[in-house]
Amino acid sequence: MEQNLNQIYQKYTQLLPSREEGMVIFHLNQRIKSEDIDTCFSRSDIENVVQEIAKLGVGDSTPNVSRIINQLLQYFLENPPQKPYRYQLTEYAKRFLALVENKLNNRLKDVPLKESFEQFALPKSGQITNIIQLNQWFELGFTDNGRKLVTRHLEAFKDDVLSLTKKLNGILYMEEQNARFKVESFAEIFGELGDRSDQIGETLALRNSLDKEIDSLVDSFYQKIEEFKNPTNEQEQTQFNTLKHDYERALEIQKEVNAFFDIVDTKFEQIVEKMQYAMSKFEDLKDNLRYQSKFKINTRRFLKFTLEQAAYNRESPVLNVGFPKRYLVSESFKFINVNHIRFLNPPKRQVRKRTKNEAYVNQARDKITKKFGSQHKIREWTQRCKQILIKEGKLDFTEHFYRILDEEKDVKIPLAVSHELVRFVSDNPDYEIVIKKEILTEFRSKDVLTWKTKINHHTYS
Amino acid sequence: MENENKSPYLFLEYEDVQRSFADLNISLLEGRHIQISDSRIFHLLESYPEELKHYYESLYGLELTHDKYDNESYYYLNFPLDSKGKLSESSRYKLLSDQNTIIGIMLLNIYHEKFFDKEKEVTWDDLVKIITEGENSNLYRKLWFNDIRDNYDHLDWKKKFYDKISNTLKEFQKLGWITGVFPQKSGTEIAQIQEGLRFQINVSINRFAKLYEHEIHHFDKFVETYHKNHVERL
């Protein structure tokens, strides 16, 4: 492995092209597709492409064509057989182009996820009876189909959330559009996000069936060992070892499937959190959209004005003398504040155009209104619980759980509130959750049962 | 009757106040904006808002201000109108420098442009993109590099841009406006800055919107008056 890493490190710059070199590959491929140049192109074709790329502002304004060609000749370009003065894209270059194309326009995301997963990835009851069949299902059904499908849908969902969030931010700054248009645009976007989220959520729920199926397979392999009598000769010992090996392989497969779904669950939850945040922001906006939009537009105009009033200076930029200045409280102490630092991944951005479908927009709007309703309740209850916690330093969550359930008649709401509170506590080390494995007598008759749960500020623990 | 004689400073004797008050007091007087990520001292502000408000008003002549944006609260000390309270000595307050003002207004805009994003995060690549491709690109290029070119080399980015803004970013971190990682200026290669610079804009960056509330809300009128005064100054 170490040797492999060393090899990658040494060849990294040749394996992955620079932006300038990459753009040359993309441009050459486009020209081949549009039949402007032959699949076996000339050096002057490459020179033309390099010059065009330079005009886009990528890389040097006077690029060194020989250097670029030499660099690309390592893995991306080759001389076709019998044509020493011509060039063609290598298989590696084609795979690289396909990889990027897939990332930008993920075709699999339009394939119905749940049905495909059920068809390819779920082991059919009774069809697997030995380890060879289980291996086949794992390699072909799960790894090659199910895992890829879920991963790509998840990637597509993440890209959608990021690009649509960017679009949402943009709508707020549309000066020429009225509030109604903006609300409709928001609803349309949330509808798109909600549909994809539902589809992935439903598929992840299939995990239960998958777990059950694999559990019973693993049990059946174990059963075979149990039923095998104690080996008394070499032949029986070999048979016993084979059964043991089959059982261990089945366990390995079970572990890999579980690990995959655990990662997917976490990623899915992170993306859904981003989506829910955007939805809750929209809810905040509903009553003061016009005001917020105007405020944001004016803030942007104020920034432009500030920059127009500023000038370069060797030490640091300076503002025009007449620009209004502001004071801050600043008593200095010899004291160092240790700040809370969070490390986060940079968001990826991608823009994708969509056509408008009126019927779909209306359906999406209804759906989103329903979602907002429960989202609003969750936020309201969470706020109330947090306020009690901050004010009183403690909260009997069991009591609140049933209170919420009684009032809202929807178990998803108290569950979501408990999830929010667990996150709040994990972000705030001053609080702790105390769970006692007992069910209080007064709640024993309820349909949903929960352990006795309290949240305390550390001063009360 | 008993309440009438109760000292407004009695809260200072409470155990939780005694445990965290020094940190809170120093942070506020240093100009820090306190928000939920400052967990312990934020909790104190939420627990004794009226008592602390009275404390700073009567002993320092300052306003303990509670602002809210995006349903998130933040607190800071502010001067009353036309006075600097007991901090009138020049070492006890500071004028926001021109550079800090420009970067503050820039970050305020980035925060609002990410309204629907859960994380208001900024990386080196984001800053480069704003300067080279954003709608105010030419103004930024002129401001930081003194000329408008298609490309700037690594030395330009390091010396003319990062070395200048890094001080501001560190100051803003102390003030609570941002939270992040800022590579050292000296002895740092541009590649380390490109990979290492990463920060989160906090809700309290909205203090800039408060500082320039009048200018933002009455923008057209402000610009008109500004230009009129400018002509008069000439």
Side-chain angles (χ1 to χ4, degrees):
Chain A
M1 186 63 188
E2 201 175 304
Q3 193 190 359
N4 203 3
L5 282 178
N6 254 332
Q7 204 181 0
I8 294 168
Y9 180 76
Q10 299 293 339
K11 295 193 171 174
Y12 194 85
T13 48
Q14 288 112 48
L15 283 165
L16 292 168
S18 68
R19 182 144 75 165
E20 189 180 23
E21 292 154 9
M23 289 305 289
V24 170
I25 296 292
F26 286 113
H27 209 36
L28 280 169
N29 186 45
Q30 266 183 7
R31 297 199 129 204
I32 294 168
K33 273 188 182 168
S34 58
E35 297 182 355
D36 289 341
I37 59 173
D38 194 61
T39 45
C40 296
F41 41 86
S42 66
R43 185 183 169 93
S44 72
D45 290 332
I46 305 177
E47 281 173 8
N48 289 340
V49 162
V50 172
Q51 295 304 340
E52 279 171 41
I53 296 297
K55 280 183 204 157
L56 294 174
V58 180
D60 294 335
S61 49
T62 51
N64 183 338
V65 180
S66 299
R67 182 190 58 75
I68 293 174
I69 294 179
N70 282 338
Q71 186 72 9
L72 290 175
L73 273 171
Q74 305 264 2
Y75 289 105
F76 292 88
L77 295 180
E78 62 189 0
N79 301 115
Q82 317 300 330
K83 293 180 182 172
Y85 299 109
R86 308 290 285 185
Y87 300 88
Q88 67 181 15
L89 297 175
T90 61
E91 277 309 307
Y92 180 73
K94 286 176 192 165
R95 286 208 301 273
F96 172 74
L97 289 164
L99 181 76
V100 176
E101 164 67 20
N102 187 54
K103 179 69 188 162
L104 292 176
N105 306 302
N106 192 339
R107 274 166 292 178
L108 257 182
K109 67 187 173 190
D110 296 325
V111 176
L113 174 63
K114 191 177 167 229
E115 289 79 356
S116 315
F117 190 86
E118 273 174 331
Q119 191 183 343
F120 298 116
L122 276 184
K124 309 288 175 297
S125 189
Q127 274 187 1
I128 298 173
T129 51
N130 58 44
I131 197 67
I132 297 170
Q133 287 167 338
L134 181 63
N135 262 327
Q136 263 176 357
W137 165 80
F138 180 67
E139 300 292 345
L140 302 174
F142 184 73
T143 310
D144 280 1
N145 288 300
R147 189 144 84 169
K148 273 188 192 158
L149 261 174
V150 174
T151 309
R152 289 190 187 174
H153 269 263
L154 201 63
E155 281 287 306
F157 180 42
K158 188 173 82 181
D159 291 343
D160 276 359
V161 170
L162 292 176
S163 75
L164 292 175
T165 306
K166 201 177 172 194
K167 205 167 151 191
L168 286 171
N169 286 322
I171 294 169
L172 274 178
Y173 287 89
M174 288 179 174
E175 288 191 57
E176 70 282 5
Q177 298 298 352
N178 63 27
R180 196 178 153 194
F181 172 84
K182 288 179 182 172
V183 171
E184 282 180 1
S185 308
F186 287 134
E188 189 184 347
I189 290 174
F190 284 128
E192 289 175 30
L193 290 176
D195 273 359
R196 191 171 292 285
S197 153
D198 287 351
Q199 222 188 104
I200 299 177
E202 282 170 10
T203 308
L204 292 182
L206 290 177
R207 181 182 183 174
N208 290 336
S209 327
L210 189 58
D211 279 348
K212 223 167 128 185
E213 203 65 47
I214 296 179
D215 269 350
S216 92
L217 280 168
V218 171
D219 281 351
S220 72
F221 284 110
Y222 185 72
Q223 198 62 32
K224 282 178 189 167
I225 298 177
E226 285 276 287
E227 286 164 4
F228 198 83
K229 59 176 184 174
N230 265 348
T232 50
N233 56 41
E234 207 174 310
Q235 196 189 355
E236 281 177 0
Q237 185 63 49
T238 313
Q239 283 174 340
F240 180 78
N241 287 346
T242 309
L243 289 177
K244 202 172 151 226
H245 175 264
D246 289 354
Y247 169 66
E248 281 167 0
R249 175 63 188 146
L251 271 182
E252 246 174 62
I253 288 175
Q254 185 183 40
K255 207 171 149 189
E256 278 198 48
V257 170
N258 280 340
F260 169 73
F261 274 105
D262 285 346
I263 294 170
V264 166
D265 275 347
T266 315
K267 282 187 183 171
F268 180 61
E269 202 179 311
Q270 283 169 349
I271 305 169
V272 168
E273 263 180 31
K274 283 188 202 307
M275 189 180 92
Q276 283 175 341
Y277 179 84
M279 283 167 139
S280 71
K281 288 293 102 186
F282 176 59
E283 197 190 336
D284 292 346
L285 265 184
K286 270 195 300 193
D287 297 332
N288 60 358
L289 178 62
R290 196 187 299 271
Y291 167 81
Q292 277 290 347
S293 202
K294 188 169 182 244
F295 167 74
K296 285 177 198 301
I297 291 166
N298 273 5
T299 310
R300 190 179 266 189
R301 291 166 77 198
F302 183 56
L303 168 68
K304 190 174 184 211
F305 178 80
T306 308
L307 293 172
E308 284 166 350
Q309 301 307 309
Y312 172 85
N313 180 281
R314 207 181 149 78
E315 299 303 318
S316 61
V318 285
L319 280 164
N320 196 319
V321 188
F323 193 89
K325 309 285 171 66
R326 297 293 186 261
Y327 289 95
L328 294 180
V329 165
S330 180
E331 171 74 280
S332 49
F333 293 88
K334 284 185 181 171
F335 175 84
I336 299 162
N337 237 349
V338 180
N339 292 303
H340 174 73
I341 295 173
R342 294 171 72 189
F343 297 89
L344 297 147
N345 292 325
K348 288 176 187 167
R349 297 193 169 91
Q350 185 177 320
V351 178
R352 188 165 54 84
K353 282 186 182 170
R354 278 189 183 250
T355 50
K356 194 171 178 174
N357 175 338
E358 280 301 333
Y360 181 72
V361 171
N362 291 335
Q363 195 191 349
R365 197 178 302 129
D366 293 345
K367 205 168 180 182
I368 217 71
T369 313
K370 204 178 160 196
K371 268 182 194 282
F372 279 142
S374 55
Q375 198 60 34
H376 177 71
K377 305 260 191 225
I378 292 164
R379 278 165 57 79
E380 213 173 57
W381 280 109
T382 309
Q383 261 328 95
R384 276 162 76 173
C385 290
K386 280 187 193 170
Q387 271 165 10
I388 295 171
L389 258 180
I390 288 169
K391 212 170 172 183
E392 297 175 15
K394 57 182 178 176
L395 176 83
D396 181 341
F397 186 66
T398 316
E399 189 191 313
H400 278 81
F401 184 90
Y402 288 114
R403 202 174 139 199
I404 299 169
L405 185 61
D406 286 347
E407 286 190 30
E408 304 299 347
K409 314 277 183 231
D410 180 358
V411 73
K412 281 182 197 154
I413 295 176
L415 282 175
V417 173
S418 56
H419 177 70
E420 287 297 316
L421 288 175
V422 169
R423 278 189 15 175
F424 172 74
V425 173
S426 63
D427 286 345
N428 291 278
D430 287 343
Y431 293 96
E432 61 173 4
I433 298 183
V434 183
I435 301 172
K436 281 192 185 164
K437 284 191 175 180
E438 59 181 88
I439 293 164
L440 295 171
T441 328
E442 65 259 45
F443 300 126
R444 277 185 195 275
S445 60
K446 299 277 182 187
D447 292 338
V448 183
L449 297 177
T450 174
W451 300 125
K452 188 178 167 186
T453 308
K454 283 189 175 180
I455 305 174
N456 294 331
H457 188 259
H458 65 83
T459 48
Y460 288 87
S461 58
Chain B
M1 197 63 190
E2 198 184 310
N3 279 345
E4 281 172 24
N5 296 327
K6 206 168 133 183
S7 162
Y9 305 110
L10 192 65
F11 77 104
L12 290 169
E13 289 176 19
Y14 300 158
E15 198 194 322
D16 56 338
V17 177
Q18 293 206 347
R19 203 167 40 233
S20 307
F21 181 76
D23 288 348
L24 173 69
N25 192 37
I26 289 170
S27 297
L28 283 171
L29 288 170
E30 279 183 329
R32 186 169 177 83
H33 295 66
I34 316 284
Q35 50 231 315
I36 195 153
S37 51
D38 296 291
S39 151
R40 204 162 36 89
I41 54 177
F42 177 77
H43 178 71
L44 206 60
L45 284 160
E46 295 269 283
S47 306
Y48 305 98
E50 290 311 315
E51 292 87 339
L52 286 162
K53 207 171 172 168
H54 178 264
Y55 174 91
Y56 285 106
E57 199 178 332
S58 58
L59 298 182
Y60 288 88
L62 296 172
E63 288 171 0
L64 175 61
T65 309
H66 173 205
D67 276 335
K68 225 173 176 185
Y69 189 82
D70 266 9
N71 279 328
E72 281 188 61
S73 292
Y74 63 98
Y75 295 83
Y76 56 91
L77 287 179
N78 200 7
F79 298 116
L81 215 60
D82 303 326
S83 153
K84 300 262 178 316
K86 302 280 167 64
L87 301 191
S88 55
E89 202 180 291
S90 64
S91 66
R92 300 180 134 182
Y93 62 87
K94 72 176 170 197
L95 184 67
L96 268 167
S97 72
D98 289 355
Q99 175 171 295
N100 287 3
T101 306
I102 295 164
I103 295 177
I105 296 169
M106 178 185 169
L107 295 183
L108 174 70
N109 267 273
I110 298 177
Y111 181 92
H112 284 280
E113 281 167 5
K114 289 175 180 277
F115 181 78
F116 287 101
D117 289 87
K118 191 163 186 273
E119 316 291 354
K120 312 299 197 248
E121 197 200 26
V122 180
T123 61
W124 171 261
D125 285 347
D126 292 329
L127 294 176
V128 171
K129 203 170 172 191
I130 288 168
I131 293 170
T132 57
E133 297 171 29
E135 62 168 323
N136 295 318
S137 171
N138 282 351
L139 290 166
Y140 278 124
R141 285 171 199 241
K142 190 92 183 74
L143 181 71
W144 296 113
F145 303 109
N146 203 25
D147 60 2
I148 298 170
R149 272 183 277 141
D150 284 343
N151 291 304
Y152 302 95
D153 60 28
H154 287 170
L155 199 66
D156 281 336
W157 281 107
K158 165 85 172 63
K159 294 277 173 209
K160 293 183 175 172
F161 181 62
Y162 184 69
D163 285 359
K164 287 179 185 172
I165 67 156
S166 70
N167 288 341
T168 298
L169 296 178
K170 280 175 194 158
E171 272 185 62
F172 280 15
Q173 169 136 284
K174 272 186 85 175
L175 290 169
W177 288 336
I178 58 175
T179 309
V181 186
F182 315 111
Q184 291 293 322
K185 269 197 304 187
S186 55
T188 309
E189 296 289 323
I190 191 79
Q192 288 168 280
I193 298 168
Q194 286 167 338
E195 283 174 22
L197 180 73
R198 186 175 292 255
F199 61 89
Q200 184 82 22
I201 308 177
N202 296 331
V203 65
S204 62
I205 196 70
N206 284 287
R207 174 76 195 282
F208 262 95
K210 286 278 166 189
L211 288 168
Y212 287 98
E213 195 170 19
H214 173 78
E215 287 80 357
I216 292 171
H217 282 281
H218 310 283
F219 181 75
D220 293 321
K221 204 176 164 195
F222 157 68
V223 173
E224 193 188 320
T225 318
Y226 181 89
H227 286 310
K228 208 170 128 194
N229 292 342
H230 185 65
V231 172
E232 278 172 15
R233 272 196 302 276
L234 292 175

